[in-house]
Amino acid sequence: MEKNEKLLEIHHLRKDYGNGPVLKDVSLDVHKGEVLVLIGPSGCGKSTFLRCMNGLESIQSGEILLDGQVISGDKTKWSEVRQKIGMVFQSYELFPHMTVIDNVLLGPLKVQKRNRQEAEEEAKKLLERVGLLDKKDVYPRQLSGGQKQRVAIVRALIMKPEIMLFDEVTAALDPEMVREVLDVMLELAKGGSTMVIVTHEMQFARAVADQVVFLDGGEIVEMDAPEAFFNCPKTKRAQKFLNTFTFESKDE
Amino acid sequence: MSEYAHLYVEAAKLTLGLGAAGILFSLIIGLVCSLVQYYKIPVLKRIVSVYIELSRNTPLLVQLFFLYFGLPKIGIMISSEGCAVIGLSFLGGSYMAEAFRSGLEAIENSQMESGLAIGLSHAQVMRYIIFPQALSISVPALCANVIFLIKETSVFSAVALADLMYVAKDLIGLYYQTDEALLMLVIAYLILLLPISLAAAWLERRLRYAGFGN
């Protein structure tokens, strides 16, 4: 596996909601098989940044490329692009009127027009991998938060995306359920998946990241390997941000 | 009095027939209007909100008089049945629109996003994700509207239709058996509406416990 192959390229991205820029001139490359973790104070634009990557947010200027193809233009076929860029949300966003397996199968059957039997086999395999095969016929409301989130991950995985985006996927979970979701993600990372993760779980970031990207005030302030970043952050802003965490953890 | 029961049966058929037609058109008008509002389509959105205010703030009786007695003055003649169906649809459309709209608005935009994120088109998200959920929320209001509209048909006699109310008034006028005629009238409406009410209650309960109700 060539780690140097660029999968997703973001050049000079600017995002503005109308009252000042949320993201100003952000550039970032995601290489194949790489796990990037975006961290930063709330409101720094990291979730917005992630949502720009699959077109859920429009951008004011700049360019986004997937496999060398510009996907930020007007003529983008988002349906095709989004099959290659999976996304998992903080609030799970399972479809409450469908059973677990129907949630997982909606994409393969309606978007990719795959054979039902084949898709169902794969759905079962994936559900088994996250330990939820026995829940395949229940409705989302019968699941715990952690279980919902694992289903949401499976729903994205079954599309066979080239890259997965995780938007604070453990932020709405009870502490004891965080682990089960992070374990699934860690396993994906070990399996060579390309991932961009927005998280507040610093321990996890340290364990899973190839690169830590620190965003603040709508720009990338620092980017480094996790050991280097967490042990000796170079910028003042990153030091300050990390200090908040140590302070909080000692205070508990 | 029972020898006149067949008159009530005939009248009930008329009431049900015109009521059903009016309800069907109400649902269509309501769905279209709610979509116009949901998508905030310029110009049309304004027209819809004017229509809804006009429809909800004028009594059906007045609307029928306008159609039946007013329009012929400018050369538009509509049959009694036509007036009844148009009037009921005009009234019902706005109520149905509000019922559909409340369902659509209850579905969080994040459901749309998560559908788009797996590659569904906008239309597919509406069809597979938004509509089924919105409809299940709208059903109680839609059912209430159906019952409301059938009850409203009792003013059809004002435009010379031999509906249940008309038959009762007729019998009272002919034979002065006021109590019997009115009792039959009440019973006739109950026979029409009770099954619908029970069906609506059953449907609501089923939807609520369908396994996904929140």
Side-chain angles (χ1 to χ4, degrees), chain B residues 19-38:
Chain B
I23 287 163
L24 182 69
F25 288 120
S26 299
L27 287 169
I28 296 168
I29 295 170
L31 188 60
V32 171
C33 290
S34 67
L35 287 176
V36 165
Q37 289 182 317
Y38 183 73

Side-chain angles (χ1 to χ4, degrees), chain B residues 4 21 30 45 77 95 100 111 137 142 151 173 186 200 205 212:
Chain B
Y4 302 112
K45 188 184 74 180
M77 305 282 279
Y95 282 86
F100 281 121
Q111 283 279 302
I137 293 171
L142 293 173
K151 286 192 286 190
V186 171
R205 214 171 33 245
F212 67 88

Side-chain angles (χ1 to χ4, degrees), chain A residues 87-105:
Chain A
M87 186 165 199
V88 185
F89 299 83
Q90 176 180 337
S91 49
Y92 338 119
E93 295 308 333
L94 295 181
F95 309 128
H97 60 303
M98 296 179 184
T99 59
V100 164
I101 190 110
D102 286 339
N103 264 276
V104 175
L105 286 176

Side-chain angles (χ1 to χ4, degrees), chain A residues 7-23:
Chain A
L7 203 56
L8 192 70
E9 297 164 63
I10 295 130
H11 302 307
H12 307 290
L13 185 153
R14 223 184 115 259
K15 168 75 190 168
D16 201 327
Y17 282 118
N19 42 3
V22 181
L23 296 168

Side-chain angles (χ1 to χ4, degrees), chain B residues 170-205:
Chain B
D170 214 27
L171 290 176
I172 293 167
L174 284 174
Y175 307 105
Y176 301 108
Q177 289 178 312
T178 312
D179 298 345
E180 293 88 335
L182 288 179
L183 183 67
M184 295 270 280
L185 180 64
V186 171
I187 291 171
Y189 271 111
L190 281 179
I191 291 174
L192 280 187
L193 286 167
L194 267 181
I196 299 174
S197 281
L198 292 174
W202 173 81
L203 190 61
E204 282 170 35
R205 214 171 33 245

Side-chain angles (χ1 to χ4, degrees), chain A residues 51 54 56-57 78-80 82-83 85-87 89 91-98 103 106-107 110-111 113 139 141-142 155-156 159, chain B residues 107-122 124-125 127-133 136 208-214:
Chain A
R51 291 160 56 83
N54 70 345
L56 288 181
E57 299 284 348
W78 281 111
S79 174
E80 283 169 23
R82 286 174 183 143
Q83 291 176 49
I85 307 180
M87 186 165 199
F89 299 83
S91 49
Y92 338 119
E93 295 308 333
L94 295 181
F95 309 128
H97 60 303
M98 296 179 184
N103 264 276
L106 189 64
K110 300 300 175 194
V111 180
K113 315 275 186 210
Y139 284 91
R141 66 168 186 138
Q142 293 159 276
R155 185 176 66 179
M159 305 300 283
Chain B
I107 310 302
E108 300 266 352
N109 189 42
S110 49
Q111 283 279 302
M112 169 63 81
E113 289 185 342
S114 89
L116 293 177
I118 56 172
L120 291 168
S121 68
H122 184 93
Q124 283 178 317
V125 177
R127 178 170 162 200
Y128 297 115
I129 299 168
I130 309 293
F131 282 143
Q133 293 185 65
S136 79
R208 201 175 317 146
Y209 299 117
F212 67 88
N214 295 306

Side-chain angles (χ1 to χ4, degrees), chain A residues 214 221-222 229 231-246:
Chain A
F214 175 65
V221 176
E222 191 168 336
F229 177 81
N231 291 338
C232 45
K234 290 182 203 70
T235 57
K236 273 256 157 44
R237 281 200 273 180
Q239 284 163 15
K240 200 175 154 222
F241 175 71
L242 289 174
N243 276 338
T244 4
F245 278 91
T246 20

Side-chain angles (χ1 to χ4, degrees), chain B residues 52-108:
Chain B
I52 287 177
E53 291 311 315
L54 198 62
S55 148
R56 297 214 306 170
N57 295 306
T58 51
L60 180 57
L61 187 60
V62 173
Q63 294 170 5
L64 287 179
F65 272 22
F66 176 81
L67 290 168
Y68 194 67
F69 300 110
L71 288 184
K73 299 263 189 281
I74 54 166
I76 302 169
M77 305 282 279
I78 305 171
S79 67
S80 297
E81 288 84 359
C83 286
V85 172
I86 293 172
L88 199 62
S89 309
F90 182 81
L91 176 77
S94 61
Y95 282 86
M96 296 299 187
E98 295 290 292
F100 281 121
R101 191 173 63 107
S102 65
L104 283 171
E105 281 178 359
I107 310 302
E108 300 266 352

